């Protein structure tokens, strides 16, 4: 009963390094998204996808790339890490977006950029 | 644009006291509203959704379109209610937008 799995759980990067945060779901959900959680700012949407091959920007997309080659996976790439990207990142999935939709979240990745 | 506002960062109440977590939204169409909760060391999870008009763990929330609000209420707070609560909205752009969250602290 895996649900939404994020890896790694913790990561420390140096400024300028690149890395990929992994997200996988085994529920055959169409909709997947990435959020960052910062104190006092709640969860802010970075990128989202409504299906394989389709991605779109959220409210804070700069510095991040995504792709959706399969239904199951939705990796988030940091191109050149900056201290401002220090945050907790959450991946979520849902079968569709609407009134009866429940979004399922991963356990989060705590990223520190030094 | 869709926006969710939670004016309180922290709400501290005594056990047994009533709870009201405020949520206001901005959206030009007909939104779908949700409350999500994050207990300590646990994943964010759905608490309730307005369309179901349900009561979960004693919590209820009524959508007031005139005031564009979706406040979360519980008549008697319990210690186990201490958590971070997020109001969220879905519009037509297939995006789930969250507010900034309110930390509920229930003390003895």
């Amino acid at each position: 009963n895996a649900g939404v799995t994020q890896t790694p759980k913790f990561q420390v990067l140096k400024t300028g390094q690149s890395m990929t945060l992994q997200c996988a779901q085994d529920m055959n959900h169409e909709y997947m998204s990435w959020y960052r959680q910062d104190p006092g700012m709640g969860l802010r949407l970075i990128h989202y996808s409504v299906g394989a091959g389709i991605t779109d920007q959220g409210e804070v997309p700069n510095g991040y790339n995504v792709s959706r080659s399969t239904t199951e996976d939705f990796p988030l790439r940091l191109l050149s890490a900056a201290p401002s990207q220090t945050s907790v990142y959450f991946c979520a999935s849902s079968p569709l977006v609407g009134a009866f939709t429940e979004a399922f979240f991963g356990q989060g990745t705590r990223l520190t950029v030094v | 644009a869709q926006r969710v506002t939670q004016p309180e960062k922290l709400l501290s109440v005594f056990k047994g006291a009533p709870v009201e977590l405020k949520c206001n939204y901005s959206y030009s169409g007909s939104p779908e509203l949700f409350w999500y909760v994050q207990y300590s060391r646990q994943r964010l999870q759905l608490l309730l959704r307005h369309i179901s008009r349900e009561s979960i763990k004693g919590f209820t929330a009524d959508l007031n379109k005139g005031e564009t609000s979706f406040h979360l209420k519980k008549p008697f707070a319990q210690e186990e209610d201490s958590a971070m609560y997020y109001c969220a909205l879905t519009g037509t752009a297939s995006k789930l937008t969250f507010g900034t969250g309110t930390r509920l602290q229930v003390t003895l």
Side-chain angles (χ1 to χ4, degrees):
Chain A
N1 225 12
V4 179
T5 303
Q6 289 182 236
T7 56
K9 292 182 183 179
F10 303 93
Q11 183 70 50
V12 179
L13 288 179
K14 293 183 179 179
T15 298
Q17 286 185 314
S18 63
M19 80 158 293
T20 299
L21 307 185
Q22 302 291 344
C23 176
Q25 51 95 4
D26 61 359
M27 297 172 282
N28 202 33
H29 287 169
E30 296 172 334
Y31 183 85
M32 295 186 74
S33 54
W34 276 102
Y35 294 86
R36 56 177 292 172
Q37 184 184 42
D38 301 291
M41 305 193 76
L43 282 90
R44 292 181 292 169
L45 183 64
I46 304 171
H47 286 283
Y48 65 102
S49 168
V50 298
I54 305 169
T55 63
D56 207 345
Q57 296 181 350
E59 48 181 313
V60 289
N62 292 340
Y64 307 95
N65 272 357
V66 292
S67 61
R68 185 92 180 272
S69 56
T70 66
T71 300
E72 295 78 19
D73 301 297
F74 191 45
L76 178 72
R77 298 183 187 84
L78 280 70
L79 309 173
S80 178
S84 60
Q85 293 178 304
T86 293
S87 186
V88 181
Y89 291 84
F90 288 98
C91 178
S93 77
S94 61
L96 49 85
V97 178
F100 292 95
T101 298
E102 176 178 354
F104 293 84
F105 283 82
Q107 60 193 98
T109 296
R110 185 175 295 274
L111 175 68
T112 302
V113 182
V114 298
Chain B
Q2 54 193 65
R3 185 169 183 166
V4 178
T5 302
Q6 293 180 252
E8 303 143 327
K9 290 186 178 180
L10 172 66
L11 181 64
S12 185
V13 301
F14 288 110
K15 180 181 177 181
V19 174
E20 183 178 41
L21 301 174
K22 291 183 168 38
C23 172
N24 289 90
Y25 66 90
S26 174
Y27 184 67
S28 57
S30 292
E32 308 298 345
L33 277 297
F34 307 85
W35 276 98
Y36 280 80
V37 61
Q38 187 175 28
Y39 300 104
S40 180
R41 298 190 184 87
Q42 293 188 28
R43 304 181 185 212
L44 199 66
Q45 58 187 282
L46 178 67
L47 179 62
L48 54 80
R49 65 200 102 195
H50 92 269
I51 197 74
S52 301
R53 301 185 65 82
E54 56 200 345
S55 174
I56 303 293
K57 298 184 179 182
F59 285 98
T60 59
D62 291 319
L63 179 60
N64 185 324
K65 292 188 177 181
E67 296 183 358
T68 59
S69 67
F70 188 56
H71 304 327
L72 183 68
K73 299 178 182 179
K74 184 171 183 176
F76 307 105
Q78 302 298 315
E79 281 183 85
E80 56 265 30
D81 296 330
S82 294
M84 194 75 178
Y85 291 81
Y86 291 96
C87 184
L89 174 155
T90 293
T92 56
S94 296
K95 290 189 295 186
L96 182 60
T97 300
F98 286 84
T100 51
T102 298
R103 181 167 298 282
L104 176 63
Q105 185 174 287
V106 181
T107 56
L108 297 175

